Each structure stands twice: as structure tokens, then as C-alpha cells.
Amino acid sequence: MKLSIIGAGAVGTSCAKWAVVKEVAQEIVLVDIVPGLAKGKALDLAQSLPLLSRSIKIEGTEDFSALSGSDVVIITAGKPRTPGMSREDLLKVNAEIVKACTEKVKLYAKDSIIIVVSNPLDAMVYVAYKVSGFPKNRVIGMAGVLDSARYRYFIAEALGVSPADVSALVLGIHGDHMLPLVRLANVAGIPITQLLPQEKIEEIVYRTKYGGGEIVSLLKTGSAFITPGLATIEMAESILKDLKRVLTCSVLLEGEYGISGVFLGVPVVLGRKGVEKIIEIDLLPEEKEALLACAKACQDLISQLEL
Ligand SMILES: NC(=O)c1ccc[n+]([C@@H]2O[C@H](COP(=O)([O-])OP(=O)(O)OC[C@H]3O[C@@H](n4cnc5c(N)ncnc54)[C@H](O)[C@@H]3O)[C@@H](O)[C@H]2O)c1
């Protein structure tokens, strides 16, 4: 299996590192337009192989033809946020970058599955879908796995329990309208509504929604990259190893949840074919309304794009 990562910045490098640690592919390629950057990162990473007792082929390059034969291509190329910026502020600049990268994927790795990470996420997956012309099961966005991990962590922290025992999901757009579902969040099967007071739950939901911004304002230069990289590799691993994991990913909705024509985060089954099934859960009227607000926010972004 071959995994390629476009963009050897913070998130791309984190993806490559976790891919090596979790041994998700036999070959890993990092591509970036900055001369020497991908090659340097790849060399640094390759030198961890003796310590990890792994034999993986790792290459870094500016030459996009190295994407050839990739099973999965992750696109992390693009500007990250700086303090005070919203993800939406990156729309125009990152659309051009994602477009350029997708054209290369189409040229060199036309049978691959694309995972987009660049922000604003749900609009950038749409760009990759339109530009690649790939079927919808092969163009997927990463956000829900990260947002759900943040949500699960904050619940575990509030209760003083292991994050491993917290199960929860965040639906919708990767932005302020995202929808951390309270009703289905649980600790070892026990609903959080029976474990935490309402005010604490509201605080956790708020912190989850703005979890990315909290890190941006602390880092001051750049955005989160450690867990974003791992969340992306969770998805890539499920595809490359055909694990059929149920993960919340940004996928094209065509009638599911009463929404069409936009990419939004919903639970899906990820396997060797990419998105193998979209799982539709029954939502309460207020949850449905919140998901429709996500669809509208995404539609507003898409309508600003010239593709
Ligand atoms: N979906 C999510 O949950 C999530 C989480 C974190 C970050 N992000 C997004 O991921 C993106 C990358 O973040 P980062 O922190 O790694 O940024 P970064 O600046 O560290 O890295 C971006 C890299 O992209 C490269 N690049 C730019 N144009 C390119 C092109 N045409 N071809 C190849 N490479 C190109 C740059 O040279 C740079 O090395 C940002 O848009 C950020 O907002 C998304």
C-alpha cells in the first residue's frame, strides 16, 4: 500500500509520523513545493525507522510524479489560521492551492482515494471533488474524527475518566456551526446527561466548537497539528487496511439527512473502496435544524468559489 501526503508543513509531517508509527503503508511519499522541505522531513522521519524497527520506504520530493501508484493521497497543502482568523478567511487562497494539488492527483494518481485536510474543510473537499472528477466515495474530508476526539477528551477531563471510555460524535461543518451531539454522547454506554450537569455539558459543547481556535490563540503561529495528523491517519488506516471503521467524515450528501450537493460531516463506513456507506441516524427536530444550518453555511462558502 502506498500513502502520499501533499504539504510537508505541520499537519502533513504529523500525518507522515503517525503513518509510520501505526504502520499503515509500506511506502510513504511527502510532496511540497518548497525546495528541500519534503525531502528534509522525509529524511528526518526515515531515521526513526531503526528505532521503531520498521521497514517502510519514505520519500520526500517537489516532484508530483512521485504520487504515481498511490492508494491514498492526503491533501494538507494550504495556509493555516493565525489568531483572529476564521477558517472561512482561508477560502480563496486555499481553494487555489487545493485545486492545483488535485490537478496533480488527477494526473498522477487517478485511481487513488483523496482525503482533504486543508481549511475551510468542507468547501475544500468540494473543490477536490469537482476538480478531480473522482466518484464521491473517493473524495473525503477530515474534520469529524478530530472534532469528536476533542469532544471526547473534554468529557473525559470533566469526569476524571479514561478518554478511551468516552464515545461521542460531532456532525456537520468544520466551523462554528458544528454539532456536537449531546444525546448520543456516553461513557461506557452511560449517557453524559446522567453524569454531568447541563451547564457543564454546555461548556464542553462550546469548547469543542472553538477547540481549534483555542489552540490557534495559544500557538500564535499556525494551528493544531498533532491530533489532526492522527485523526487523518485513522481514516487512511481504515481505508488502506479495509477496517470498515465507523468514522465521522465530510462526504457528499445526496439526499441523506434531507441535504443535497454539499459536503458535511456524518458517520460513514470507511474501507478499501473509500466511503462504503453513509449512516443516517434519526435526528431530533432541533438537531436536524442545526444540520441544515451547517448545510447552508457550506453552500454559502461554495457559492463564493469559481471552479
Ligand atoms: N481539517 C482539519 O481538521 C484541520 C486541522 C488542522 C489544520 N487544518 C488545515 O490544514 C492546512 C495545513 O495546515 P498546516 O498547519 O500543516 O500548515 P503549514 O503552513 O505548516 O503547511 C502547509 C504546507 O503546504 C505547502 N503548500 C502550499 N501550497 C502547496 C502546493 N501547491 N503544493 C504542495 N504543497 C503546498 C506549504 O509549502 C506548507 O509546507 C491548513 O489549511 C489548516 O487550516 C485542517
Side-chain angles (χ1 to χ4, degrees):
M1 287 289 157
K2 176 169 174 176
L3 171 68
S4 293
I5 300 157
I6 306 182
V11 178
T13 308
S14 173
C15 287
K17 187 194 86 176
W18 288 117
V20 168
V21 171
K22 288 172 72 79
E23 257 187 316
V24 301
Q26 286 74 49
E27 196 177 344
I28 298 171
V29 171
L30 261 175
V31 188
D32 202 291
I33 46 168
V34 174
L37 182 69
K39 200 167 187 163
K41 296 279 181 84
L43 193 56
D44 188 5
L45 188 58
Q47 290 162 5
S48 72
L49 294 172
L51 302 176
L52 288 163
S53 303
R54 301 265 192 279
S55 25
I56 296 170
K57 191 174 167 213
I58 304 174
E59 184 193 348
T61 179
E62 293 101 61
D63 179 0
F64 282 83
S65 69
L67 298 177
S68 167
S70 300
D71 296 285
V72 171
V73 179
I74 297 170
I75 300 181
T76 72
K79 301 268 178 242
R81 284 193 280 171
T82 47
M85 255 183 139
S86 76
R87 295 180 182 94
E88 290 72 24
D89 292 334
L90 301 166
L91 182 74
K92 293 270 162 67
V93 60
N94 281 354
E96 285 308 312
I97 293 174
V98 170
K99 190 172 170 213
C101 294
T102 307
E103 276 161 0
K104 301 290 188 189
V105 180
K106 193 177 171 187
L107 183 62
Y108 294 113
K110 66 175 177 34
D111 297 320
S112 63
I113 293 170
I114 301 177
I115 302 176
V116 179
V117 182
S118 318
N119 273 321
L121 190 270
D122 307 277
M124 293 305 104
V125 205
Y126 182 85
V127 171
Y129 171 69
K130 282 287 172 194
V131 173
S132 67
F134 287 8
K136 62 175 183 171
N137 59 304
R138 291 204 279 124
V139 189
I140 317 164
M142 189 293 290
V145 181
L146 171 67
D147 296 326
S148 303
R150 286 176 173 155
Y151 189 29
R152 290 166 62 194
Y153 173 72
F154 294 142
I155 293 167
E157 189 191 37
L159 288 165
V161 301
S162 169
D165 289 325
V166 180
S167 197
L169 79 162
V170 178
L171 301 182
I173 198 167
H174 186 50
D176 298 350
H177 289 284
M178 73 175 74
L179 181 58
L181 279 185
V182 172
R183 192 170 51 95
L184 300 179
N186 68 83
V187 179
I190 309 157
I192 62 163
T193 46
Q194 292 185 23
L195 300 169
L196 286 167
Q198 182 62 24
E199 317 80 75
K200 187 65 195 172
I201 293 175
E202 280 168 18
E203 200 183 290
I204 289 171
V205 164
Y206 181 86
R207 199 169 171 205
T208 301
K209 285 184 175 194
Y210 299 96
E214 183 179 354
I215 293 175
V216 170
S217 55
L218 289 165
L219 295 182
K220 300 199 173 59
T221 54
S223 53
F225 56 95
I226 300 170
T227 307
L230 180 56
T232 310
I233 293 306
E234 287 275 298
M235 292 170 59
E237 181 181 41
S238 190
I239 296 167
L240 293 163
K241 297 184 182 170
D242 199 21
L243 298 179
K244 321 270 191 212
R245 298 274 318 270
V246 178
L247 298 171
T248 303
C249 303
S250 183
V251 296
L252 182 67
L253 295 179
E254 286 182 310
E256 298 89 353
Y257 295 93
I259 295 168
S260 282
V262 290
F263 278 77
L264 282 183
V266 294
V268 303
V269 177
L270 278 191
R272 196 60 203 92
K273 297 191 185 82
V275 179
E276 299 194 350
K277 185 178 167 47
I278 294 176
I279 299 174
E280 261 191 279
I281 46 179
D282 286 338
L283 295 178
L284 297 175
E286 60 270 27
E287 293 164 345
K288 210 164 192 171
E289 204 177 299
L291 199 62
L292 287 173
C294 290
K296 188 184 173 307
C298 195
Q299 190 62 56
D300 287 348
L301 285 177
I302 290 170
S303 63
Q304 295 173 46
L305 294 169
E306 286 157 26
L307 293 171

